[in-house]
Amino acid sequence: LSQAVAASAEELAANQKLLSLLDLIFARARLAYKSDSFRPQLNNQGILELSRARHPLLGNSAIPVDVQLGGKFDILVITGPNTGGKTVVLKTIGLLTLMAMSGLFIPAREKSRLSVFKDIFVDIWDEQSIEQSLSTFSSHMSNIIDILKSANQHSLVLLDELGAGTDPVEGAALARVILEDLMEKRCRAVVTTHQ
């Protein structure tokens, strides 16, 4: 039996490759159908225009959002009370951008536009608690410094709770300097903050 299989090894390997590709295509189609997704329009100018976008893991319970970035402005700052909505919007933008760059349809309305970015940099606070330790703050600052060193006009930067975890006045000043640096680098950025 092994010898009979070995005689057709090349054909079997080719068939396996084709079947895997077909399985991937059908899985992507099934995901698009189940999540009521559409093919986004892609560009390389850093323009994002999401219409009624939904977080892909929240399904029908997701509250749709409209987001624009890269047209009239390159940095979007989202502020508000600590109810989780800001971070969900940030994650939705990141996930939908990655989905589109991977050739997937996205859970948003037709004619939504997304850009292909060379790099996507993310710093998201894991805990939603007011009690954030200095070590957590230091870790995030270290990550943000690395992001600022690498980000450029071909980057999308997603920063959650910028300026949090330290004195509010110092946090606001720090957040402003970071935003000014991102603006100078001409990268696209979405930032959530309480400041």
Side-chain angles (χ1 to χ4, degrees):
L1 180 60
S2 295
Q3 285 177 339
V5 170
S8 301
E10 231 175 89
E11 293 86 353
L12 290 170
N15 286 345
Q16 176 65 32
K17 191 174 181 180
L18 286 173
L19 288 171
S20 296
L21 180 59
L22 286 171
D23 190 40
L24 175 64
I25 291 168
F26 281 110
R28 290 181 355 200
R30 196 167 31 256
L31 175 66
Y33 180 75
K34 284 186 175 182
S35 60
D36 193 26
S37 295
F38 294 90
R39 182 171 61 101
Q41 298 174 4
L42 296 177
N43 68 82
N44 60 1
Q45 290 91 33
I47 296 173
L48 283 78
E49 291 178 358
L50 294 171
S51 173
R52 299 195 52 81
R54 300 173 319 279
H55 191 290
L57 299 178
L58 296 179
N60 292 333
S61 66
I63 297 172
V65 295
D66 295 339
V67 178
Q68 292 187 357
L69 183 68
K72 296 179 182 176
F73 52 89
D74 293 336
I75 297 177
L76 173 63
V77 178
I78 304 170
T79 187
N82 200 12
T83 58
K86 299 183 303 296
T87 301
V88 171
V89 170
L90 192 72
K91 290 179 178 182
T92 300
I93 293 167
L95 283 171
L96 269 54
T97 301
L98 289 171
M99 287 175 71
M101 288 174 58
S102 300
L104 297 172
F105 284 22
I106 60 169
R109 299 311 320 149
E110 304 99 322
K111 298 186 181 176
S112 287
R113 299 170 62 191
L114 284 167
S115 184
V116 175
F117 292 97
K118 185 174 185 265
D119 298 296
I120 299 177
F121 298 103
V122 180
D123 184 74
I124 294 182
W125 288 78
D126 291 328
E127 62 243 7
Q128 292 291 326
S129 170
I130 295 173
E131 301 171 29
Q132 295 154 347
S133 67
L134 180 59
S135 62
T136 302
F137 172 76
S138 298
S139 169
H140 286 283
M141 283 312 306
S142 176
N143 192 28
I144 290 171
I145 289 167
D146 289 342
I147 290 170
L148 292 176
K149 287 178 185 174
S150 302
N152 58 42
Q153 70 269 18
H154 305 292
S155 304
L156 174 63
V157 177
L158 306 173
L159 302 176
D160 190 32
E161 300 296 344
L162 186 61
T166 188
D167 175 77
V169 174
E170 292 173 5
L174 190 58
R176 182 181 176 127
V177 169
I178 292 167
L179 289 173
E180 287 173 355
D181 192 55
L182 291 171
M183 196 165 61
E184 281 180 27
K185 294 178 184 298
R186 296 181 28 228
C187 51
R188 305 305 185 266
V190 182
V191 177
T192 68
T193 183
H194 289 298
Q195 306 296 341

